[in-house]
Amino acid sequence: MHACQLLTAIYRVFPGVLEVKDCVPIYELVYCNHRGLAQAAGEFLNTKVFQHRASVSTASQRGHENAELIIDLIQFFIEGDCHDHAAYLVDALIDTNSMMKDWKTMADLLLSGEADRFDSELIEVLVCAVRQAASGEGPVGRSQLKKAAATQKEARVLNEDKAKISEVLIPVLPQLLHRFIADRDKVANLITIAMHFQLEIYLAGRLEKHLDDLMDVMESIVEKHADDEVLQNVAEVITYFTTNIAVAQHTETHRLKMLDGLALQLRHSVQRFHREATLDEEDDAAMLAAFRKITAFAMFEDLKKWQLWDQALSVLINPEDKQASRDVCEKAVLLLFNTLAWDLHRLITEQEPNKTEANKLLKKHRDQFLHMISNVLISGASGVENAFLCLVDTLIMFNPPDKSLEYQLDPQTVLRINAFVVDNVFVEENESDLTMDQQSQIELMHKRRNLLAQYSKLILHGILDIQNAANVLRFYTKFYTDFGDILKVLINKCRELDKLGCAKAVVVSLHDFYEDIKRKSEGGYVDPNSDGFSALRELAKRLSGVFGSDPIKSREPLAVVHREEEIDYLARVKCILFSREGILYALKSEKGARPENISFLEVLIEFSGKLMRQDKQSILKYLERHGTDFGTEEPYILYKGSLQWDRNEELTALRPAPARGRGRGRGRGRGTPTPSVYGADD
C-alpha cells in the first residue's frame, strides 16, 4: 500500500519516469482483496489516467464533464481482463473519484446509445456504484475494518447519496428497462437499482407517473422472461415497495393484477398436464415458466389468497403415474416449501383467526410435503439437491422449542436421508468430472459441500441422532481435502453436545469402515497389512483426536470405545441393527472358530494412548477375561501390549504400518511409515 502511495507521489512530480509496463502491475491491484491496497492503486489510477483526462473532458461537446472519464473507465475495465466483477473496481475508486457517483451521466450514456459497444459493462458499473453508495457495503471477499455501527456523519452521507440516486434514477429507470428489456443479464442488473430508492420521494416529488411506468415495465418483464434471477429480482422490488404504505397502496392494483395472472397461468398449465396424455415440449416449457414465475413471488410474499397448494402437490403426487419433468418438479417443491413456511409464519405471528384449524391444516400440509420429499429422494437421487435442502429447512422449522409442531422422523426416512447424502456427497472422481471445466467443478463441489453442511445441521439441531454422524465420519480421511473442515466442525460440535454419543458415532464409523473392507476382502478376512486396513488405522488416528489430550475429561467416552456397552445405530440396510463396540466386536466368533474381526483390535490401539493408567488396567482385565482363547493371535498380543505400556515408552511389539501413497486426503508421502500411535496427536 505504501509502495503505491510512493509511486503516486513520484508520478505527480516526475510524470515521465514511469512507463506503461511499470504501471500495469499497479493497475491490477485495484482488483486485490485488501481494500487499503486497492484504494491506493485506485488513487494512482486517478492520478495517472482520470485526473489527466479531466481537463480534456471539460471542453467536450457531450455536455457531461465526466462522460469521457466514464468511457475510459469502462475501457480500462474491459481491457484489464483481471476480474469478472466490477464491484472491486468501483470500491477502489468510489471514495476518491466523483465520476463513480455521476449516475445521470451513466444513465444518459446508456439511453443515448453512445455506450452500445460496452453497455453491459457500464450497467454493471452503474449498479455496483449505486449499491455501494446506498448501502455503504463493499464487495464480498474484500477485507476491510469492521465497524460496530455507522457514525452519524457516515449515515448522513448514505442518506444523501440514496436521495440523489432516487432523484436521478427514478425517472430514467423505466426507460432503461424498456430499452434493454430483451436482454436477461441487463434487466436482472438494472431492476435491482429500485431496491435502493427512497420510496417517499415518489409521492413527495410527484413522481407517481414514473412509479406506474416502472410497474408496467416490470409486468412486461415478468411476461417476457422466465429466468429465476430476473423473476426473483422483480418480486423482491415489488415486495420492497410494500414497505411504504403510500407506495404500497399506489402499486396494489398492479401487484394483484400480476399475481392473479400468474396464478391463473399456473392453474391452466396444471389442468393441461392432467388432461393431456403427454405434454409436448412447448406445453412442458409453459408449465415450467408458470411454476418459475409464481415460485419467485412465493419466496417474498404470502400467496395464501390464491390457494396453490393442491395444484403444486398434484404435479408431484400424480395418481396416473404421469411424471413431470425434473425442472418442473423442482420448482413445485420450492413452491410447496415456501407456502409451508408462510403458513407457519402466520401461525407463529398470531395472524390466523382460527388457530386450531390453521394448526390442523399446517400439520396436514407438513406431513404431505415430507412424505413427498422422502419419495423424491428415492426417485431422483442425482438431481434433487433443492428438494433435500427444503427437507432440511422444513425439519428445522418444525423443531420449535415448544415442541407442539415437532415432527418425528420415521426410520425409513432417516435411511433415505443417509443414503442420499452418501451417494451425492462422497463421490469418487470419474472421467466426466475430469472433462468438466474448472468453473463447473467448483460449482459441483460447492453443491456437495452444501449438502454435507445441511446434513450436519440435522444432527446438530437434534433432528437426527448424533450416532448418525457415523455415516459421514467414515469418509473423514478419504475426502479430507474436500470436506475435512466441515467434518471437523461436526465432530467438535457433537462432542460439545454429547460426549458419549459422539464416542459411539466414532465407534460405529470404524465398524462400518471395517465391514466395508471385510466385504471386499477374499474370504472375509481383513489383512492388517492391506491398504484398506492402513486407511482404517489412519481414520482411527484422526478420530482419536475427538477425545482431546486430557485423559481425565475423555475417560468416560473412551470407555465406550474399548469396553462392552451396547449401542444402536441406523445401518445402511433395511432395519435397525445392534452391534457391540470394541473388544466384543473384535472377539465375537462361533465356538472354537477364529474371530473374523480380530484384526479390529489393532484399530483400538490408536485410542489406547488416550487412556489413564488405571483405565488401561481395567480394560486389560476385561480383554483377558473375554479373549483367553485367542491369546496367541498377533492382533490380540499387539493390543494387549498397548494397554500394558505407558504412552511415552517404546513399544517394540507394535506392528509398523505399511507405507502408503498420497491419497485424496492429506495423506502421508509414499514410503513414509505411519508414526507410532504413541506419538504426537494429529
Side-chain angles (χ1 to χ4, degrees):
M1 183 171 68
H2 295 300
C4 285
Q5 294 171 344
L6 177 61
L7 289 172
T8 302
I10 292 174
Y11 179 80
R12 285 171 178 162
V13 180
F14 305 104
V17 172
L18 297 178
E19 299 180 1
V20 174
K21 64 179 182 179
D22 301 320
C23 300
V24 170
I26 306 175
Y27 293 160
E28 294 177 351
L29 291 177
V30 297
Y31 298 103
C32 72
N33 289 333
H34 190 277
R35 190 167 194 261
L37 180 56
Q39 287 182 321
E43 182 61 32
F44 178 84
L45 189 63
N46 288 331
T47 304
K48 178 73 170 63
V49 181
F50 301 129
Q51 186 172 340
H52 173 69
R53 297 282 295 172
S55 60
V56 179
S57 63
T58 53
S60 174
Q61 297 179 356
R62 298 179 188 275
H64 301 301
E65 61 178 6
N66 286 326
E68 290 286 351
L69 294 179
I70 292 172
I71 293 175
D72 288 345
L73 173 69
I74 302 304
Q75 197 66 30
F76 171 83
F77 178 53
I78 296 172
E79 293 178 355
D81 196 26
C82 295
H83 208 282
D84 293 333
H85 304 290
Y88 287 83
L89 177 62
V90 170
D91 182 55
L93 298 173
I94 196 167
D95 292 336
T96 58
N97 199 315
S98 60
M99 71 171 170
M100 303 308 300
K101 296 184 179 181
D102 192 351
W103 331 114
K104 180 173 176 55
T105 300
M106 294 183 189
D108 288 345
L109 286 172
L110 290 169
L111 291 174
S112 65
E114 295 180 76
D116 284 350
R117 293 180 293 108
F118 45 80
D119 50 10
S120 296
E121 291 78 11
L122 180 54
I123 288 173
E124 189 172 357
V125 169
L126 170 62
V127 172
C128 292
V130 167
R131 183 188 304 118
Q132 181 154 349
S135 65
E137 298 176 358
V140 176
R142 173 162 284 177
S143 60
Q144 51 188 329
L145 294 176
K146 293 184 178 180
K147 298 181 180 179
T151 63
Q152 187 174 3
K153 180 180 178 181
E154 290 172 338
R156 186 177 69 252
V157 171
L158 288 178
N159 286 331
E160 291 174 354
D161 285 341
K162 201 169 182 179
K164 184 179 178 182
I165 290 170
S166 304
E167 293 170 358
V168 172
L169 295 181
I170 279 177
V172 300
L173 181 58
Q175 302 174 44
L176 290 171
L177 290 172
H178 268 299
R179 179 176 176 82
F180 300 106
I181 194 170
D183 192 300
R184 186 206 75 86
D185 293 330
K186 295 172 185 175
V187 169
N189 264 331
L190 286 171
I191 196 65
T192 60
I193 292 176
M195 289 293 300
H196 306 290
F197 288 163
Q198 285 186 345
L199 298 182
E200 55 271 17
I201 291 181
Y202 270 114
L203 301 180
R206 298 185 179 277
L207 302 175
E208 294 92 338
K209 178 182 179 300
H210 300 299
L211 180 57
D212 291 331
D213 292 342
L214 181 58
M215 294 299 296
D216 289 337
V217 73
M218 285 196 293
E219 190 173 347
S220 299
I221 290 171
V222 171
E223 182 180 348
K224 294 178 182 295
H225 290 275
D227 178 77
D228 289 336
E229 184 182 4
V230 172
L231 295 171
Q232 289 173 19
N233 288 347
V234 171
E236 188 174 8
V237 169
I238 292 177
T239 303
Y240 173 62
F241 284 171
T242 62
T243 59
N244 182 284
I245 297 177
V247 173
Q249 291 175 347
H250 191 86
T251 59
E252 183 71 5
T253 303
H254 292 276
R255 187 181 70 87
L256 293 178
K257 177 185 175 183
M258 192 182 306
L259 291 175
D260 285 339
L262 295 179
L264 184 62
Q265 182 181 350
L266 178 67
R267 286 193 174 91
H268 287 168
S269 297
V270 173
Q271 290 172 1
R272 188 182 303 110
F273 170 75
H274 291 298
R275 185 174 61 249
E276 302 291 339
T278 57
L279 289 182
D280 56 24
E281 292 184 2
E282 184 177 350
D283 290 337
D284 184 72
M287 185 164 69
L288 176 59
F291 268 105
R292 278 180 169 171
K293 292 175 182 180
I294 201 68
T295 301
F297 282 87
M299 295 173 65
F300 295 97
E301 58 181 293
D302 189 358
L303 303 182
K304 177 187 176 182
K305 174 183 175 182
W306 289 271
Q307 299 294 321
L308 300 174
W309 180 271
D310 292 335
Q311 281 76 19
L313 189 64
S314 66
V315 174
L316 296 168
I317 306 177
N318 191 0
E320 300 176 2
D321 295 329
K322 185 191 299 182
Q323 294 294 326
S325 66
R326 176 165 291 177
D327 291 336
V328 170
C329 291
E330 184 175 307
K331 293 303 174 184
V333 168
L334 286 174
L335 177 58
L336 291 175
F337 169 74
N338 286 298
T339 303
L340 198 63
W342 283 111
D343 291 345
L344 179 61
H345 174 74
R346 287 196 310 274
L347 188 64
I348 294 176
T349 55
E350 307 288 342
Q351 297 181 29
E352 290 287 358
N354 190 336
K355 289 190 64 175
T356 303
E357 288 298 322
N359 196 316
K360 183 178 178 180
L361 181 61
L362 177 62
K363 289 182 178 180
K364 176 185 175 182
H365 286 175
R366 177 201 63 190
D367 295 343
Q368 289 176 334
F369 181 75
L370 293 176
H371 177 72
M372 177 270 302
I373 287 289
S374 179
N375 293 330
V376 169
L377 293 182
I378 296 177
S379 61
S382 61
V384 290
E385 292 86 359
N386 282 331
F388 178 76
L389 300 182
C390 290
L391 171 64
V392 172
D393 289 340
T394 301
L395 292 173
I396 293 176
M397 283 194 308
F398 285 93
N399 188 37
D402 61 3
K403 305 298 181 183
S404 61
L405 294 172
E406 186 178 13
Y407 180 83
Q408 294 294 334
L409 283 174
D410 60 274
Q412 189 67 22
T413 302
V414 175
L415 288 174
R416 292 176 180 178
I417 292 174
N418 290 336
F420 175 84
V421 172
V422 172
D423 293 342
N424 288 272
V425 175
F426 303 102
V427 181
E428 296 281 359
E429 288 185 353
N430 50 40
E431 293 182 1
S432 61
D433 292 336
L434 297 176
T435 57
M436 295 170 61
D437 60 87
Q438 185 178 8
Q439 184 62 30
S440 298
Q441 290 180 359
I442 293 174
E443 292 176 358
L444 179 61
M445 182 54 61
H446 175 72
K447 287 183 178 180
R448 290 173 179 170
R449 287 174 58 83
N450 192 27
L451 290 178
L452 179 58
Q454 296 299 314
Y455 178 77
S456 301
K457 283 168 56 177
L458 291 178
I459 296 174
L460 299 181
H461 280 271
I463 297 166
L464 293 180
D465 190 89
I466 285 181
Q467 293 176 37
N468 284 276
N471 294 286
V472 295
L473 291 183
R474 61 194 176 105
F475 299 102
Y476 187 37
T477 53
K478 187 174 183 180
F479 291 88
Y480 185 83
T481 302
D482 297 332
F483 311 112
D485 55 337
I486 299 176
L487 293 175
K488 188 173 183 179
V489 172
L490 174 62
I491 293 173
N492 292 333
K493 293 295 183 182
C494 288
R495 182 177 60 187
E496 293 174 6
L497 293 173
D498 183 0
K499 290 183 179 179
L500 288 178
C502 184
K504 292 176 182 179
V506 168
V507 175
V508 172
S509 66
L510 296 175
H511 285 180
D512 291 347
F513 201 137
Y514 188 86
E515 290 294 334
D516 287 342
I517 299 173
K518 191 164 68 172
R519 280 193 296 270
K520 298 174 183 177
S521 303
E522 295 183 4
Y525 171 72
V526 178
D527 182 6
N529 292 315
S530 64
D531 290 340
F533 192 81
S534 298
L536 176 59
R537 286 189 60 178
E538 178 68 19
L539 175 63
K541 183 175 179 63
R542 286 192 183 274
L543 293 181
S544 66
V546 171
F547 305 102
S549 57
D550 189 340
I552 298 178
K553 292 182 179 180
S554 60
R555 187 178 188 184
E556 187 178 4
L558 279 169
V560 176
V561 177
H562 289 268
R563 300 187 61 180
E564 177 184 7
E565 183 169 334
E566 197 172 71
I567 65 168
D568 61 280
Y569 69 101
L570 287 169
R572 257 61 58 199
V573 289
K574 297 181 179 179
C575 60
I576 298 179
L577 302 177
F578 285 84
S579 178
R580 294 181 180 272
E581 293 95 343
I583 296 171
L584 287 186
Y585 174 78
L587 298 180
K588 67 178 181 180
S589 65
E590 300 293 336
K591 287 186 177 181
R594 182 179 186 272
E596 295 181 355
N597 305 327
I598 193 168
S599 57
F600 190 77
L601 290 176
E602 294 193 35
V603 178
L604 298 181
I605 293 175
E606 303 293 345
F607 297 88
S608 297
K610 302 286 185 179
L611 292 169
M612 298 178 66
R613 182 186 295 271
Q614 56 266 42
D615 291 333
K616 286 185 178 182
Q617 295 173 355
S618 175
I619 293 174
L620 179 60
K621 293 178 181 178
Y622 185 85
L623 174 68
E624 292 173 341
R625 185 167 70 251
H626 288 81
T628 53
D629 297 335
F630 317 110
T632 59
E633 296 287 345
E634 187 175 8
Y636 180 91
I637 296 172
L638 294 176
Y639 181 51
K640 182 177 179 181
S642 72
L643 297 173
Q644 290 175 326
W645 296 82
D646 287 336
R647 180 182 178 89
N648 294 324
E649 295 182 10
E650 182 180 2
L651 294 178
T652 58
L654 285 181
R655 182 198 306 275
R660 296 178 57 210
R662 186 175 297 276
R664 288 193 60 179
R666 195 175 61 185
R668 308 186 186 281
R670 186 175 300 278
T672 303
T674 304
S676 167
V677 65
Y678 298 99
D681 293 339
D682 190 9

